[in-house]
Amino acid sequence: MSTFYFLFQQTMFFSIPLLVVALGGMFSERSGVVNIALEGIMIMGAFSGIFFINACQTNFALNGQILLIAALCVSALTGMVFSLLHAYAAINMNADQVISGTALNMFAPAFAIYVARMIQTVQQIQFKNEFRFDFIPFLGKIPVIGPMFFQNTYLTTFLGLIILGISIVVLNKTRFGLRLRACGEHPQAADSVGIKVRWMRYAGVMISGALAGIGGLIFVIPTSTNFNATVAGYGFLALAVLIFGQWNPKRIFFAALLFGVMKTLAAAYTGIPFLSNLPIPSYFYKMTPYIATLIVLAFTSKNSQSPKAAGQPYDQAGR
Amino acid sequence: MMPKWIGKSNLLSEKNIVSLTSSISAILVGLLFGLVILLISNPSQAFAGFKTILFGGFTGGFKGVGQVLYFATPIIMTGLSVGFAFKTGLFNIGASGQFIVGAYAAVLVGVRLTSLPPSIHWIVALLAAAAAGGLWALLPGILKAYANVNEVIATIMMNYIGMYSVNYLVTRTVYDQLRNQSISTVAVLPKWGLTTLFPRSSVNGGFFIAVFMVIVVHILINKTTFGYELKACGFNREASRYAGINAKRNIVLSMVIAGALAGIGAGLLFLAGSGKHIEVVDILAVEGFNGIPVALLGMSSPIGILFAGLFIAYVTQGGFYLQLSNFVPEVIDIIIAAIIYFSAFALIFKNIMSKLIKGRKEQKQ
């Protein structure tokens, strides 16, 4: 049973960042802007957040959960500002969204390495992980649920689940969500009833920037002790989760969970007696998340629910 | 009256001139942006550093130029791979996976098939690389054509699957345990006189093969019915199907050709005899990703990609020398990113340019 709890906790470390970033991508794409720059935005978010934590820890400015919350705000803000570059190119300049997204993806790691090495000569930014809850009082004692959610966990796990809840409500139950979806499905129709398509698309991209920025930070904190200008392709994986989840928050959640489980098995299979006894090379376990995604996509892509106007610059003359 | 062949060749057409000027202005703006970064981070050295970037590959004399050609070779090929797919309406972000699989095939043949005479050995190894790269792109192509799977996601997945497969296969077949990399290949590309021209550099005949492939792809896209069909599918899949073109088959073929081009790029790098080996690490091959900016900057045209590849290799070479004036070479990547970003504005820029040209023509009349 303890193995199960351990695996569940690990799964959360992999799934929650994917969930948050994919939800970000969802807001952008449902407003009609394809955001392939999620990877770059994650890097910028993680970079600024970890840099902030590093600075606070060396100067003894903040600590504990307050420091984590402050760093999350820094990451969200950085991601949002950085995503404005993509928004401007896509919305104002009618640019090819794949090109500007690629530019952002190239820029982010180069910028993170450049700044880190200019300031502290080495490219890795160290941080002390003081954010883990080993055991949350009272809640951690609840049988089954306690060890699953309230032991060896982070504030960010709950934050991710809260963001999921808010996303479901915002997208499906609010005026803003309805308008956002309208802009991604049929911007001309939305415009004709007085919705400001450009504003809505800016909002979509900026939400994706903030969430991807947060996602970058919450990916790095549980899985590493330093930031080395990379988020290991998680931005692209989030894109896969988004498509796999058919641009729908609940399905994105399950997609992220599935991917997290496979990623955990790949990372921790040696700790599972049944799997480690099989004569299968470790590389095969590392591949399974990607192979499984391909197989699932092959069966689910025929009836794609992708937003109809995603990727197309809005042309007012097309009304 | 102009000779007929000038009228027919579209290299100097209005459209190409507009593309060229917009690419060049993106480069200028990107370089200026780089200068600003240098000025902010270290004002006293900034202009010296900027000069180093501008002189790029020439800083090292003939050796430097040779290195530029050497580094340009694989990214021209991966640029061709991405650009060719772009032309046919597909975004091949999987050049990285196709590249590493091609590299493995080239190394395997280069190490094992020693019974072949040296003059044929490298050709077989290169063909193996092309076949492996093409094979790796076959699955995303089939998935795209027959199951509507987004090729961006499929090729990203294939990147990781390719990386882990190759790492596994290298450790099982051609492993140098001491250095955690593949062992050296016996097959080596011919130099074709380039090392006498650029002494002490790693340049080799691979560069000529890359240029040859540029010409082949140029002819394929612009001068053949097959290329026309591929492009038509890229513009409008439904319309081309209506016109009797087998769109599904064309999608698969485009992906396979794109993959083969990336595979050849890997072959040219790993058969160069320059001490390059497949390292067994869990990192995707950068040459594949570097093909994306090359293709974008070259506006997906093969000739454009040739020059874009040379340009990016040139400034990257400048980045190495930049470390002498206490700068971090990543500033080059920042500049390239800025150039790509501004080249995304090409649409607006093109409209302005076309209006200008049109206006001038109307004035003349």
Side-chain angles (χ1 to χ4, degrees), chain B residues 70-144:
Chain B
Y70 168 69
F71 285 116
T73 305
I75 60 174
I76 288 172
M77 290 309 300
T78 49
L80 269 184
S81 168
V82 177
F84 180 79
F86 262 139
K87 280 270 180 199
T88 60
L90 300 164
F91 185 26
N92 176 24
I93 203 166
S96 188
Q98 295 141 19
F99 185 88
I100 201 67
V101 173
Y104 174 70
V107 169
L108 186 68
V109 172
V111 170
R112 287 292 167 83
L113 293 181
T114 41
S115 52
L116 292 170
S119 53
I120 299 172
H121 195 180
W122 67 267
I123 299 177
V124 177
L126 199 58
L127 289 175
L135 193 70
W136 212 247
L138 177 67
L139 184 64
I142 290 175
L143 287 176
K144 169 81 180 177

Side-chain angles (χ1 to χ4, degrees), chain A residues 36 85 89 93-95 98-99 102-103 107 110 113-114 118 233 236 240 243 281 283 286-287 294 297-298 301-302, chain B residues 41 91 146-148 150 153 157-158 160 164-165 167-168 280 282 292 296 327 330 333-334 337 341 344-345 347-348:
Chain A
I36 202 173
L85 284 171
M93 301 301 276
N94 291 351
V98 169
I99 300 182
T102 304
F107 180 86
I113 294 174
Y114 186 80
M118 275 317 221
F236 291 122
I243 293 175
Y283 292 106
K286 291 183 182 171
M287 270 186 252
L294 270 184
L297 283 177
S301 294
K302 251 316 197 242
Chain B
S41 45
F91 185 26
Y146 295 96
N148 194 29
N150 186 316
I153 301 305
M157 297 300 130
M158 293 302 280
Y160 288 98
Y164 289 125
S165 309
N167 282 350
Y168 171 66
V280 183
D282 289 356
I292 299 171
L296 295 177
F327 280 110
E330 268 71 22
D333 292 336
I334 295 180
Y341 183 72
F345 295 177
L347 199 67
I348 294 263

Side-chain angles (χ1 to χ4, degrees), chain A residues 161-183:
Chain A
L161 297 174
I162 292 169
I163 289 173
L164 171 68
I166 294 175
S167 300
I168 294 173
V169 174
V170 166
L171 197 70
N172 297 318
K173 306 280 177 200
T174 64
R175 194 150 60 168
F176 172 80
L178 183 67
R179 291 180 170 181
L180 190 86
R181 283 184 287 151
C183 292

Side-chain angles (χ1 to χ4, degrees), chain A residues 31 75 118 198 265 289:
Chain A
S31 79
S75 295
M118 275 317 221
R198 292 194 162 175
L265 288 179

Side-chain angles (χ1 to χ4, degrees), chain B residues 1-10 12-14 17 361:
Chain B
M1 186 75 180
M2 267 194 281
K4 217 174 180 182
W5 62 272
I6 289 183
K8 264 203 168 174
S9 104
N10 52 4
L12 281 177
S13 71
E14 205 171 90
I17 290 175
K361 268 187 190 160

